[in-house]
Each structure stands twice: as structure tokens, then as C-alpha cells.
Amino acid sequence: MRPFTTETLEKALTEKLMLNFSKTPDEATDQEMMKACALVLRDVMAIRGVETRKRTNREQRKRVHYLSMEFLMGRSLMKNAYNLDVLPQLKEALGNLGFKSGDIFEMEPDAALGNGGLGRLAACYLDSMATLDIPATGYSICYELGLFKQKIVEGEQVELPDHWKDLGVSWLVPKPEEAQEVRFGGTLREFWDNGRLHTVNENATTVLAVPCDMKIPGFGTDHVNTLRLWEPRATSPMDMSLFSRGEYLKAAEEEAMAESIAKVLYPDDSHMEGKSLRLKQQYFFVSATIQSITTKHMSLYGTMKNFHEKNVIQINDTHPALVIPELMRILIDDAGMDWEEAWNITTQSVAYTNHTVLAEALERWPQVLMEHRLPRIWQIIKEISSRWQNRIDEYYHDPGKTQYMAIVWGGEVRMANLCIAGSMAVNGVSALHTDILRNDVFRDACQMEPWKFKNVTNGIDHRRWLSEINPGLDGLIRELTGGNEYLSNAMVLQKLDDYADDKTVLDRIGEIKRQNKETFALHAKKTRGVILDPNSIFDVQVKRLHEYKRQLLNVLHIIALYQKLQDDPNAITQPHTFLFGAKAAPGYVVAKRIIRLINSLADQIAHDPICKDKLQVVFLENYRVSLAEVLMPASEVSQQISTAGKEASGTGNMKFMMNGALTVGTLDGANVEMNQVLGSENMFLFGLHADEVRQLKREGYIPQRLYTQDETLRRCVDALRTGFRDGVTYEDLYQRLLFGSGGSAADEYLLLADFGSYCQAERDMTAAYADRDRWNRMSLHNIARSGIFAADRSVKEYADNIWHVSHR
């Protein structure tokens, strides 16, 4: 049921402006109107949220608690209005009050509380859990600054602070009455009482965790869930005596130490101070979360013995792994349970999603840091580790396997192994990824406890990533499928396959894409001053900058095209625009150099008359959710070219597919399952398979041989040494590819091995593009068969196979 008509919305907005800003609509700024919109919708969600909570408590339903260091929410105003079914009315009401709705929506900052796919996935799952009427809460940190705003200065990435809360705070509701105390450091004192050993942490530093709640409405339902973001505060007031003596910094020291926990997402951990802060972040949000969950459980049921029957805790990657010892601490120290009972409850409550097979991304903490910062947690981890190692020894009788599977070994605490030991389920995020976990990364653990290992292929919020951002395509789908049923059941998209030979429909697919390209070209001109050619192929690679994602392979191919044009100015007949968007981690030197290289190449091509109307390269500054929402509908080619066996799943590949872009990619991550539903005839596949990658590395990969034998490849790689018109050369990247550097093997991610195959896939794609009916038919099939990658399907699989909770 719609809570508002256009008229009642106008009245509500007018009242909010007067009550909160003492302004009439005529006097209000766009920022004030954006906040008023947020407050009006927040009121609706708050009322529905109360009803949802009362219903959940009354029915004593099992709750899902989704813990993630990242929630890449993006903008919320349009999304919430869409889910509440008031978006058309809101747009009309804003217009009637003298505002442009597009300007108001654009005013909202992205809530960039995440780095990439991990955080975007978490955001999609929150939407689906609410839509499916699953009682759920997301938990993270209320970061003061988002990831960072990326500025390109003279071709190089510069990181600027992202003050998302200036307007984003409109969605947050502080709950100081539900604050929790989190303790760091201190010393342990043990004593016996009533026949039980008690452990008390004394002289600890205490930080207050204050919840700030963001409401998450479902689509087509009154169900509303919550994203709880923890904000750190000092427990003691500022020392006024110190302040009065002029010792201002010392007076505010405790407050500053507390606030540092939530200052930024992922502080640089290349030094011990950074590692310490990251560990504090993780324990801060985990401890506050578990205390909050258990407090509410006790108030409802009066016992912790049924905790696992009424709660499931899903940890998104290893960052929240400390939930396992923290829950054990509460069950033993606070609830008075013995070890076996506490462990039984914990291991039936926690489930772990693994997101990577990269060894460097499987978190390990220095033992000394854990001992010093979290003494009681360290004590519990030691006991978990000892018992786990005994189980391994009894099962394998193999010291080598014990060492590999151990939780504590060599002065380190291995968080992935802790997750495996303490969870009821371990899931990968694509079929290929899960196979690698089962058969390689966690092979020994899987053999010992095979029932734990499951697969749930990732999914995306198709309501946001198709219907909301691509209204032209949404309209066509509704027309061809007979309504909006696909919004609640994405598999309805399959009906589009029936129109594969309908030229009128195929032409409309092409027209919609063309209109979206023109819209994005206007956006690029307005925001960056870049002139894009809508007649060219929009060939797009947007994702986090990492060597395994192989943006550098894309660059080498573009260099080859550029050199081909130098040799023959008529070599390219179809104009081709390559669009990149990526942020590199501030401490990732190689990734930042690749960004510099992309911009050097873009500058070279832009200033060469031979390339005019034929070849263009553009680096899209500050790639983020709101930029993706404009780019995805306009994209025609999706670059998913990671080294096979390295990408866990991907979700950008699904968004491109759902908007009709065609994939140039390796058989990696969810590309494998995309290929299963599309067939190779509707993708452009290339490169080594995962097993071939492993075999080549076993046999001894020598990239210099490929460099010597292939003249096209040699010229491309040599261009890195020669450099470009801006005077920058890339000898470091040249050396890294051919000889290795910094402890990395030569061409560690096999760019040169896949180069020839990749160039051929791009040629095949360009040839297909020339046949418009064929291209539009392939695009139609991609849209029609993308429904399997909806987040609703993923969440239902979690609910049925891991969480064991009911849903609609």
C-alpha cells in the first residue's frame, strides 16, 4: 500500500522543511530539500520497522545477523523511494514544489562504506533479505570517511577524504540507549567461585560503541530491516583540568583515540600501527555487535541455551572472524557455560563466506598484537587452536597437514582457519571458486568436514541494477513479459528469449542502448569535460585495480591497436572507445602505476590525429556506485579478464550482462556459470583455464620466450620502456612482466600467456558488432538469461541451505 499520494508528499516535505530548517519550499536549498526527502521516507520506514520487529518477536522467528566490514550502499534516496513505491509521486511532488528531482537525487553523496564487490554484495543482500521478509540486521562501522575520493592529477591517483556524512547522516538514527562497551588491552585475573573458574579483564581501555541505524525497506512488502553502524565514543569526558592548563591535545587524547577506530575504512597496514588499528576496528564492531545480539536475545528468551536456534551469524569474509571467540567469551564468562556447551552453540550459530583464494588476502594477525590488544580473546583463540590441532592430528597423523590447517602457527593467527574451525558452514561465491576451496585452498579441511563446504553463487539487486537505472529497458521488459512480475521473480526475464528472431524487438534493444550511450556521453561531458563518440563501441573495464584483474592486459591490447594504426591509418574502421574506472589501494604501488599508465596512453592517443574518430581511451575518475548506475546501461562490452582461478565470483559481470553488454572474458569466477546459461556463442571467451594455469606454473612459466617469439607482443611490451608523449616511462612494469620484481614472479598473472588469445577475442567481438541484428540478439540473450544472478536467488539459497530461516 502506498503511504503517499503526490499531494500528501508535497505537504509532508513542506512540513519537514519548516520544522527542521525553518524554511518554505521557495526558500530551501537543494541540500535542505534532499534532507527533507530523506526524513520523510525515514519516518515511513521507522513505522514499518517497528511493526516488523513486533511481528518477528511475536512469532519468535529466527534472525539473521550479517556482519561485514563493508557495505557499499551508494545513494539511498531514489532506492528507498523505489522500494516504498513512491518514486513517481516523489518526482512529481518535487517538481510541483519548484525543484528538479534529478538535481535532488544527484545531490546525495554515495555512502562509500566499502571498497568494491564485497561491500556492494552486502548491500544487495540487505535489499533481498528485506524483500523476502527475512528478519535480518547488517552490522558494520559508521566510518567517518568513505573509502576515498579519487582525483587524477597529472595522470596519477591522489586520495582525498570522502565526507559522506555531511548529507548521508540524514538516513542515520543514533541509538545511544543501546550503546555497548568494548574493551582493549588490560590484564587478566582468574579466580574460582562456586566451583567455576572465572576470568576478569582488569585495567582495560574501554571504548563506547553507539549504534547508528539505517533502515532498509523491502520491495513489494511492508517488511523493513536495519543496517546497524557502530560509532566509537570515549567513555570518559574530556579532562577539563588538563584543558584549563593549556594541555589541549592531551585533554582530548582519549576522545581522539576512540574516534580513530572509525576514521577510515582499511587503514594502511604496511606498518604495525596500521595493523593494530585494523585489529581494533574488527574487534570493536564484532564485540559491540555480539553484545547487542545477545542482550536482545536474553531480553526475549531469558536464556542463552537456545541462542543457535533463534540466531544465525553470517560473516562476510574473514574480517568479522573474531565473532567466534567473542561469542565464546560471552557464553563462558557472562552466561556461565562450560567450554563444550559454548562451543556447540557457537559452531551452530556462525557461518562463513569466503571471498578469495589469494593467499595474501587470507588474513593473518601477529600473535603478539593479539596477545597485547585482546588478552581474553587471545586466551580463547589459543584453546580453540589447541583443540582444533588435536582433531587434525587424530584425523590425519600428518604434521604437514597440521601445520597448514593450524589456527595459531609460527607467531601468527590465521583467521580463515579460525572461521573453518568455528563455523557450521563455509561457502564459496561461485561454482568454480567453491571447487577451488574444496579441492585446493581448504582441501584438507574439506576432507575432514565435507558437510561444511557449500556454494552460493553471488547475485545482484536486479531492481536497482536494471529496473531503476535503465528505465528504457525496464519498459521494454514489462511490455514483452506482460507486467512487472520480473521485479519479484527475475527468472521471468527468460520470456525475452522468445523474441530472439523478432527484428522489431532487436531494433528496440539497439535503440535503448544507443539512447543510454548518448545519456552517458552527456554525463561525461558535464562532469569531466570529455567528449565521447556514441557511434563507437563502448568497451568497459570498471572494478578495483588489482594485478590479477589484469587491467594491464587490456592496456597492452590497446597499445597493439594503436601501433597497428601507426602502421596503417586505415586499420580500424569501427570506432572503439575504451573506458576504465578503478581505485587502487593507497599503498598498492604497482596498481597506482597502472593507473598512471592508462592515463599516459589516453593522453598519447588523444593527441595523435591518426586516432581521431577511431580510437579513444578514457579513465573515469572516482569510480563509485552512482557512476556505475549511469555507465552500466550504456556499456556494450564488459571486460572480465582476470587470470583463471583468481576471481572468486564477480558481480560487475552480472550487472553488465543484465543490461545487455556482452562479455569478453576468461572462464573465471561466475563467468563460468554465465557461460553455462549463455553458451559460448553469446560471449567472447579466451585464455587459459584454471587447471591450465596451475599446470603451466608447475611446469615452469617463462614469459621471456613469448616476448621473443611474438613480434606484436614484443612491440607492446617495449612501448612500456619507451614511454609516451608525457615523458613518463614504465621500465618498472616492463621488468615486472619479464623478470619479476619485489618478490613477485615474472608475469605472475600470465598476461603474456593470454595476450594472443585476448587480442583474437577482441577481433571476434568487433566483427560481431558489425552485424547489428546478431549483436542485438546476443544482447537480448544476455538480458533474458541473467535472472539466475539475482540476489533474491542467492539469499533464498542461504536461507534454505545455511541459515534455515523461512522466507516468502
Side-chain angles (χ1 to χ4, degrees):
M1 188 174 107
R2 289 178 176 173
F4 287 110
T5 63
T6 299
E7 292 75 21
T8 56
L9 257 178
E10 286 181 43
K11 182 180 178 184
L13 290 171
T14 300
E15 288 177 351
K16 282 294 179 190
L17 286 172
M18 293 177 66
L19 289 171
N20 289 273
F21 306 105
S22 300
K23 298 274 187 79
T24 65
D26 291 339
E27 298 169 320
T29 65
D30 283 357
Q31 285 190 339
E32 289 164 341
M33 179 54 87
M34 184 263 140
K35 288 182 179 179
C37 290
L39 292 171
V40 168
L41 297 188
R42 203 177 81 179
D43 287 350
V44 178
M45 294 186 292
I47 294 168
R48 292 187 180 184
V50 169
E51 292 303 315
T52 298
R53 185 175 67 251
K54 287 165 60 178
R55 187 166 57 248
T56 301
N57 290 346
R58 184 171 62 249
E59 297 171 2
Q60 296 193 350
R61 293 184 65 190
K62 191 175 187 180
R63 288 169 159 85
V64 175
H65 307 280
Y66 196 91
L67 277 64
S68 178
M69 282 292 283
E70 301 184 35
F71 282 92
L72 196 55
M73 302 302 291
R75 292 169 173 162
S76 294
L77 180 54
M78 185 181 289
K79 175 62 181 171
N80 288 340
Y82 182 94
N83 274 13
L84 293 170
D85 199 19
V86 296
L87 184 56
Q89 301 94 301
L90 180 60
K91 289 180 176 179
E92 190 174 353
L94 286 170
N96 292 346
L97 292 172
F99 292 84
K100 293 181 180 178
S101 60
D103 292 345
I104 300 301
F105 295 141
E106 191 70 24
M107 178 69 55
E108 183 180 9
D110 282 49
L113 309 182
N115 187 28
L118 184 82
R120 189 56 229 158
L121 181 80
C124 288
Y125 283 0
L126 285 184
D127 179 86
S128 285
M129 285 186 277
T131 297
L132 296 172
D133 288 356
I134 296 172
T137 306
Y139 302 87
S140 193
I141 296 174
C142 193
Y143 300 105
E144 181 181 331
L145 303 173
L147 179 62
F148 60 81
K149 283 186 178 177
Q150 182 192 55
K151 188 79 175 168
I152 301 299
V153 180
E154 296 183 351
E156 295 189 353
Q157 171 180 295
V158 175
E159 301 93 24
L160 301 175
D162 175 24
H163 298 282
W164 74 278
K165 289 170 83 174
D166 291 348
L167 286 173
V169 74
S170 305
W171 299 110
L172 299 177
V173 180
K175 296 286 185 70
E177 71 280 4
E178 295 184 37
Q180 306 293 336
E181 290 189 350
V182 180
R183 293 174 173 80
F184 298 98
T187 55
L188 301 182
R189 179 170 62 86
E190 295 180 339
F191 62 93
W192 287 90
D193 185 42
N194 291 329
R196 191 170 73 86
L197 181 65
H198 294 259
T199 303
V200 179
N201 190 352
E202 297 179 327
N203 305 313
T205 300
T206 303
V207 175
L208 203 63
V210 178
C212 296
D213 289 354
M214 183 183 291
K215 294 302 177 184
I216 309 295
F219 173 82
T221 175
D222 287 341
H223 192 100
V224 170
N225 284 330
T226 301
L227 171 59
R228 172 155 284 193
L229 302 172
W230 294 102
E231 188 171 81
R233 303 249 182 97
T235 53
S236 304
M238 187 171 68
D239 191 327
M240 290 305 297
S241 62
L242 287 173
F243 194 87
S244 299
R245 294 200 301 267
E247 298 181 49
Y248 308 126
L249 294 178
K250 193 170 183 181
E253 187 175 12
E254 186 177 340
E255 188 176 345
M257 287 295 290
E259 291 176 354
S260 69
I261 293 173
K263 186 65 72 175
V264 295
L265 169 70
Y266 297 144
D268 185 358
D269 64 350
S270 59
H271 44 74
M272 188 56 74
E273 290 79 7
K275 284 184 173 64
S276 178
L277 181 53
R278 279 206 190 192
L279 184 62
K280 285 180 72 175
Q281 283 186 330
Q282 292 184 9
Y283 184 67
F284 167 78
F285 115 80
V286 159
S287 179
T289 295
I290 295 302
Q291 290 184 65
S292 174
I293 294 169
T294 54
T295 299
K296 290 182 178 180
H297 178 87
M298 281 295 292
S299 68
L300 196 58
Y301 296 103
T303 178
M304 289 296 293
K305 292 183 180 296
N306 66 343
F307 181 83
H308 56 294
E309 297 169 2
K310 298 299 180 181
N311 299 276
V312 60
I313 300 164
Q314 186 71 45
I315 56 177
N316 196 28
D317 218 339
T318 56
H319 309 121
L322 292 173
V323 73
I324 294 166
E326 177 66 7
L327 181 54
M328 287 292 290
R329 182 190 70 78
I330 289 173
L331 294 174
I332 294 171
D333 294 355
D334 298 345
M337 294 184 186
D338 61 29
W339 182 275
E340 285 72 20
E341 186 178 17
W343 186 247
N344 182 56
I345 290 173
T346 297
T347 53
Q348 292 186 72
S349 301
V350 179
Y352 160 53
T353 300
N354 173 276
H355 284 275
T356 184
V357 299
L358 298 178
E360 65 269 22
L362 294 172
E363 284 188 305
R364 298 175 179 219
W365 291 107
Q367 176 181 322
V368 292
L369 188 60
M370 194 79 73
E371 287 179 276
H372 177 67
R373 286 286 183 205
L374 309 171
R376 179 57 176 150
I377 293 302
W378 164 245
Q379 198 175 56
I380 293 170
I381 288 174
K382 271 198 307 182
E383 185 65 21
I384 295 172
S385 179
S386 175
R387 291 172 182 244
W388 177 244
Q389 281 184 221
N390 288 339
R391 283 197 58 201
I392 300 166
D393 287 337
E394 289 170 8
Y395 188 89
Y396 280 116
H397 305 288
D398 182 342
K401 292 188 185 300
T402 301
Q403 178 178 342
Y404 184 74
M405 295 171 65
I407 296 169
V408 178
W409 197 275
E412 290 184 321
V413 182
R414 301 165 177 175
M415 306 310 279
N417 289 351
L418 174 63
C419 291
I420 292 169
S423 297
M424 61 181 173
V426 178
N427 76 277
V429 290
S430 73
L432 176 63
H433 173 230
T434 301
D435 285 345
I436 292 171
L437 295 183
R438 285 173 173 150
N439 302 318
D440 184 8
V441 180
F442 301 141
R443 179 186 65 246
D444 299 329
C446 183
Q447 186 175 325
M448 195 166 84
E449 298 181 324
W451 60 87
K452 276 190 181 182
F453 289 80
K454 305 172 187 291
N455 178 65
V456 182
T457 297
N458 282 347
I460 59 171
D461 171 8
H462 70 290
R463 290 172 287 274
R464 181 171 201 150
W465 291 104
L466 196 168
S467 176
E468 190 182 326
I469 69 170
N470 199 339
L473 183 56
D474 173 65
L476 178 62
I477 292 168
R478 290 174 190 243
E479 181 182 327
L480 298 180
T481 62
N484 67 352
E485 185 188 353
Y486 91 96
L487 297 176
S488 299
N489 177 12
M491 296 308 290
V492 170
L493 290 169
Q494 289 177 321
K495 292 181 180 180
L496 298 181
D497 267 338
D498 296 340
Y499 298 90
D501 296 317
D502 187 324
K503 180 146 183 13
T504 302
V505 170
L506 296 182
D507 287 346
R508 287 184 65 185
I509 289 282
E511 289 164 8
I512 290 166
K513 182 63 71 176
R514 172 71 187 204
Q515 289 167 4
N516 291 335
K517 289 172 71 177
E518 291 176 354
T519 298
F520 183 74
L522 287 173
H523 181 272
K525 183 178 180 181
K526 178 182 176 182
T527 58
R528 290 212 53 219
V530 174
I531 306 296
L532 299 178
D533 178 9
N535 294 312
S536 67
I537 303 172
F538 279 16
D539 194 331
V540 182
Q541 187 175 18
V542 287
K543 54 184 71 241
R544 185 164 47 92
L545 204 306
H546 196 293
E547 288 171 277
Y548 85 83
K549 295 178 185 288
R550 301 204 293 191
Q551 285 92 344
L552 184 53
L553 176 59
N554 194 345
V555 170
L556 290 175
H557 167 251
I558 298 169
I559 292 173
L561 283 182
Y562 177 61
Q563 291 175 339
K564 190 174 181 181
L565 266 181
Q566 296 290 309
D567 297 338
D568 176 8
N570 299 313
I572 294 178
T573 55
Q574 170 59 55
H576 206 142
T577 297
F578 292 91
L579 297 165
F580 291 87
K583 290 181 179 179
Y588 194 168
V589 175
V590 177
K592 294 176 88 167
R593 284 290 286 166
I594 293 171
I595 288 177
R596 184 73 179 87
L597 170 62
I598 294 169
N599 285 298
S600 286
L601 180 59
D603 175 74
Q604 178 81 24
I605 289 171
H607 286 85
D608 193 327
I610 290 175
C611 299
K612 184 174 172 55
D613 299 326
K614 294 178 181 177
L615 187 61
Q616 185 177 19
V617 177
V618 175
F619 187 89
L620 300 169
E621 183 180 83
N622 199 35
Y623 182 65
R624 60 203 184 281
V625 173
S626 56
L627 178 54
E629 289 172 341
V630 189
L631 176 62
M632 294 287 178
S635 301
E636 293 175 292
V637 179
S638 163
Q639 295 281 341
Q640 307 297 331
I641 60 177
S642 54
T643 312
K646 295 297 182 184
E647 185 72 84
S649 172
T651 52
N653 48 0
M654 302 169 186
K655 294 165 194 166
F656 282 114
M657 177 188 183
M658 200 169 270
N659 283 278
L662 306 188
T663 301
V664 173
T666 50
L667 277 172
D668 193 27
N671 288 0
V672 175
E673 288 147 289
M674 287 167 58
N675 180 239
Q676 289 169 354
V677 298
L678 285 170
S680 298
E681 67 275 13
N682 290 306
M683 301 174 75
F684 302 97
L685 297 173
F686 74 94
L688 298 167
H689 297 183
D691 57 341
E692 294 170 330
V693 168
R694 289 192 293 271
Q695 182 180 344
L696 180 58
K697 292 205 168 188
R698 276 196 308 269
E699 292 173 351
Y701 173 52
I702 305 174
Q704 298 95 319
R705 288 179 182 169
L706 296 168
Y707 170 82
T708 304
Q709 295 165 2
D710 186 334
E711 183 184 356
T712 301
L713 175 60
R714 186 168 64 254
R715 287 180 66 195
C716 291
V717 175
D718 285 348
L720 301 178
R721 302 185 88 177
T722 307
F724 302 92
R725 69 179 291 277
D726 59 8
V728 182
T729 60
Y730 297 90
E731 176 73 25
D732 52 340
L733 297 179
Y734 171 90
Q735 292 288 336
R736 196 169 180 84
L737 285 174
L738 292 180
F739 306 105
S741 65
S744 295
D747 191 18
E748 183 175 0
Y749 297 107
L750 307 182
L751 281 67
L752 306 194
D754 278 349
F755 176 79
S757 178
Y758 176 53
C759 291
Q760 184 58 54
E762 280 281 307
R763 286 193 291 271
D764 293 343
M765 178 274 294
T766 305
Y769 192 83
D771 183 342
R772 299 312 300 161
D773 283 349
R774 178 190 171 197
W775 185 271
N776 292 334
R777 186 177 297 109
M778 293 169 73
S779 181
L780 177 83
H781 287 315
N782 270 261
I783 300 163
R785 300 174 194 180
S786 65
I788 191 71
F789 300 112
D792 291 356
R793 185 269 312 153
S794 302
V795 168
K796 285 177 183 176
E797 290 182 12
Y798 277 105
D800 293 338
N801 303 328
I802 296 177
W803 303 336
H804 305 297
V805 296
S806 59
H807 58 81
R808 72 182 175 109

